Amino acid sequence: MSLPPATKSVTTNPGKNAVTDPTDKTALEKDVDRKMRLYGVIQAFRSGRMPDNAQIDQTLKYFIEHSPVDVNRLSPEGKKLVDDVRAILATTRTQIAEKNADEVLQQFIYHTSSQQFRDRAVKNAKTAAPDD
């Protein structure tokens, strides 16, 4: 069941099904999809999963190509800052592709953040601590 599209009307006596600012359904669906993907990424990190190099590359490429602000409305210093951040992201993207081809970074983060590693580190710290 779907409602009919709302009409825009800012008058003293608005008509039936009239609103001041109707919602664009395609924009709303894109926004919801983007937020659900972000939530999925956050949940994956919480459960200990790491992105592979292709996912990292895709994300960095997206951030390079899509500014969160309207660059045309920025001052020259603001535009320079955006360009500098894009250069840093491009360098990071290159480094991930060249230096992390076998995904050692993800393996390192996974192994050092696991509960087993923390338990072992605590046990080793206790046995190495001098008695008072």
Side-chain angles (χ1 to χ4, degrees):
M1 180 174 183
S2 179
L3 296 174
T7 58
K8 183 174 183 171
S9 177
V10 184
T11 62
T12 309
N13 297 317
K16 188 176 182 180
N17 199 26
V19 295
T20 58
D21 191 16
T23 303
D24 181 11
K25 287 187 179 186
T26 57
L28 177 66
E29 289 172 0
K30 285 181 180 179
D31 186 49
V32 169
D33 182 57
R34 182 179 51 82
K35 288 178 182 174
M36 291 300 292
R37 287 176 187 261
L38 177 63
Y39 179 74
V41 169
I42 292 169
Q43 287 301 105
F45 280 127
R46 284 183 178 165
S47 64
R49 292 185 300 231
M50 295 294 299
D52 61 15
N53 283 355
Q55 292 169 321
I56 293 171
D57 184 66
Q58 180 184 13
T59 303
L60 290 173
K61 182 179 177 185
Y62 178 84
F63 284 136
I64 291 168
E65 294 174 354
H66 298 89
S67 177
V69 296
D70 183 9
V71 178
N72 296 327
R73 297 181 63 187
L74 295 176
S75 68
E77 293 84 10
K79 290 178 183 178
K80 172 119 175 64
L81 178 62
V82 169
D83 289 340
D84 289 346
V85 170
R86 284 181 175 157
I88 291 169
L89 293 175
T91 302
T92 303
R93 188 174 175 214
T94 303
Q95 290 296 317
I96 292 290
E98 292 177 1
K99 304 288 184 181
N100 194 39
D102 51 357
E103 299 187 355
V104 175
L105 177 65
Q106 290 92 325
Q107 293 172 14
F108 173 76
I109 293 172
Y110 174 78
H111 289 297
T112 58
S113 64
S114 69
Q115 183 64 38
Q116 182 182 16
F117 177 79
R118 286 190 294 261
D119 290 345
R120 196 175 321 144
V122 169
K123 181 181 175 185
N124 290 342
K126 286 181 181 178
T127 57
D131 294 329
D132 289 333

